[in-house]
Amino acid sequence: MKGFIAILAFLCLGVISAIYIGFGTDVKSEPKAIDVEMEGLNEKYVLKFSHVVAENTPKGLAAAMFAKLVREKTDGWVEVQIFPNGVLYDAQEEFRALLENEVHLIAPAFSEVTVHDPNWMVMDLPFVFEDELEVKRAFEGELGKKLFESIETRGYKGVAYWDNGFKQFTNRIRPVVKPRDVEGIAVRVMPSDVLMDTYKHLGASPSTHSFNEVYETLSSGQIDGTENTFSNIYSKGFYKQQEYMTVTNHNYLGYAVLMNAEFWDALPLDHQKNIEDAMGEVTDWLREYAKSHNQEMLEKLKGGNSLEIHFLTEEEKQLWRNELTPVYQKYSNVIGEELVNELLYRED
Ligand code: LMR
């Protein structure tokens, strides 16, 4: 791993500083969507929380726990209304809805954030994290701090990093062990330039589809493969449309919990404190739950006997890292040395 980092560090030499593209932060100054129910002299606040996964997934359960804790901690004066499964918006529409105060909390995957802040592409560089502990340290260290600072220049308040798990590769065409085994496979990815370029570089044909469209695009034959966590592969039934699964752990699927900055600033300080406390408890709980839940979903996928499963060895992973060197080089220039080095030299 150290040799690989040395190669990568060398590739980072010619670097363009991170491009901070500011979106207008002038969030429409319409009245905030504080659903005020005047009960006596008190105000009640309603936080609308939109996400795109089922309720019995790590993120779905965490959202429900957050709503319960906020209700308890504020004696009911702050109510969190959850809109799961993309019932209101898909993962990209959520960003506009948040800035326009149609919802107040979203928890998009890191790859979805890259559309609005290219610096977040650093989290899509493949085969960088060895295990969940390394991910935790990245979230809690300088990298996590810098990524929230960056997204906050665009009107979003970074509230927490939530966990799901490592992404795996599934397809119906052939067993995938070596990098070039993905050649010609139509694979669905989230809308991240790094993900698109990673698969294009290996000869696959990636395309982006929203999470709720993936099953249909698999069953129609529009795509042959996907990359996702065991939890999402199982909960959305993707495995029913696949023959092969390669346990690659090539990316980590984490979520950026974001709030509308104006809405946050308008909350009374005691409500902010209660919301932060609730968020902290849920974040800690989710880190452990997500890891065990994904392990449980892997056992279900193994037990279903519907997938031929291959676990990449460390030697095989190194072949992928070597093959993907040009992708690291390209995105080290785009993302910038500061963030890439934070990723590679984080304090373990
Ligand atoms: C996706 O592949 O779009 C999902 O990872 C979305 C999610 O929130 O888990």
Side-chain angles (χ1 to χ4, degrees):
M1 184 64 174
K2 299 289 180 214
F4 156 69
I5 287 180
I7 295 169
L8 203 50
F10 172 75
L11 291 175
C12 293
L13 287 184
V15 174
I16 302 162
S17 63
I19 302 160
Y20 284 78
I21 303 162
F23 287 85
T25 52
D26 55 341
V27 177
K28 271 196 265 175
S29 54
E30 287 174 0
K32 294 170 203 49
I34 301 170
D35 296 0
V36 176
E37 294 166 20
M38 297 306 289
E39 289 181 14
L41 296 177
N42 295 303
E43 279 188 354
K44 182 171 181 179
Y45 290 80
V46 175
L47 271 70
K48 295 178 181 173
F49 190 163
S50 168
H51 69 75
V52 299
V53 295
E55 289 155 298
N56 62 341
T57 59
K59 176 161 59 174
L61 292 171
M65 179 183 286
F66 174 69
K68 177 174 178 294
L69 285 175
V70 168
R71 184 174 58 251
E72 290 168 358
K73 291 177 184 289
T74 63
D75 295 326
W77 289 119
V78 179
E79 179 194 355
V80 178
Q81 293 176 354
I82 299 167
F83 300 89
N85 269 314
V87 287
L88 290 183
Y89 308 103
D90 72 19
Q92 279 302 311
E93 293 162 348
E94 284 180 345
F95 286 86
R96 178 203 56 74
L98 186 70
L99 286 182
E100 295 184 7
N101 249 336
E102 292 168 17
V103 295
H104 310 107
L105 266 172
I106 62 174
F110 297 149
S111 303
E112 300 286 351
V113 185
T114 65
V115 174
H116 307 270
D117 182 347
N119 292 313
W120 283 69
M121 287 194 285
V122 70
M123 295 305 281
D124 281 338
L125 289 174
F127 294 102
V128 174
F129 293 114
E130 295 287 335
D131 55 33
E132 289 85 356
L133 185 57
E134 285 196 1
V135 177
K136 175 179 184 291
R137 287 171 171 158
F139 288 173
E140 293 179 349
E142 272 307 296
L143 182 63
K145 179 169 171 286
K146 285 185 164 68
L147 287 175
F148 270 173
E149 284 170 357
S150 181
I151 196 70
E152 286 171 6
T153 64
R154 293 162 170 76
Y156 304 95
K157 161 101 179 132
V159 178
Y161 289 101
W162 277 4
D163 290 87
N164 187 322
F166 283 97
K167 286 194 290 187
Q168 319 304 339
F169 185 79
T170 65
N171 86 98
R172 63 162 66 95
I173 304 298
R174 66 179 79 91
V176 168
V177 176
K178 292 186 171 47
R180 293 287 165 183
D181 290 341
V182 301
E183 200 141 333
I185 294 179
V187 56
R188 178 267 177 179
V189 297
M190 284 184 269
S192 158
D193 291 348
V194 176
L195 298 180
M196 292 291 281
D197 280 356
T198 295
Y199 284 102
K200 282 178 183 170
H201 178 74
L202 297 175
S205 47
S207 59
T208 59
H209 303 272
S210 73
F211 192 47
N212 279 341
E213 293 170 353
V214 177
Y215 188 87
E216 179 50 39
T217 48
L218 278 171
S219 57
S220 68
Q222 191 181 341
I223 58 172
D224 309 310
T226 76
E227 52 155 33
N228 226 305
T229 60
F230 297 129
S231 166
N232 284 340
I233 293 166
Y234 189 82
S235 64
K236 294 295 268 190
F238 298 157
Y239 66 95
K240 297 173 186 169
Q241 298 286 338
Q242 307 281 250
E243 301 289 330
Y244 310 99
M245 176 165 76
T246 309
V247 181
T248 54
N249 287 354
H250 61 281
N251 281 141
Y252 190 80
L253 175 59
Y255 303 116
V257 184
L258 306 175
M259 188 179 273
N260 176 293
E262 269 203 351
F263 184 87
W264 172 259
D265 293 341
L267 287 172
L269 292 180
D270 57 336
H271 286 341
Q272 287 183 352
K273 175 75 172 62
N274 288 321
I275 288 168
E276 284 173 338
D277 291 349
M279 187 58 74
E281 288 178 41
V282 172
T283 301
D284 291 344
W285 167 84
L286 178 59
R287 185 170 298 116
E288 297 312 314
Y289 175 80
K291 185 175 179 180
S292 61
H293 178 74
N294 272 290
Q295 193 54 44
E296 189 186 326
M297 292 304 105
L298 170 58
E299 293 311 314
K300 284 183 181 286
L301 292 168
K302 284 160 69 175
N305 293 321
S306 63
L307 288 171
E308 181 182 313
I309 301 174
H310 175 77
F311 290 76
L312 282 190
T313 64
E314 281 311 310
E315 294 71 28
E316 289 165 345
K317 286 180 184 178
Q318 194 53 45
L319 292 177
W320 288 70
R321 289 189 185 103
N322 296 344
E323 189 76 29
L324 291 169
T325 298
V327 175
Y328 298 123
Q329 184 171 1
K330 174 179 179 180
Y331 284 94
S332 297
N333 291 339
V334 173
I335 299 164
E337 185 177 13
E338 185 185 3
L339 281 176
V340 175
N341 281 351
E342 283 302 348
L343 177 71
L344 300 178
Y345 295 111
R346 57 193 177 274
E347 292 304 310
D348 282 357

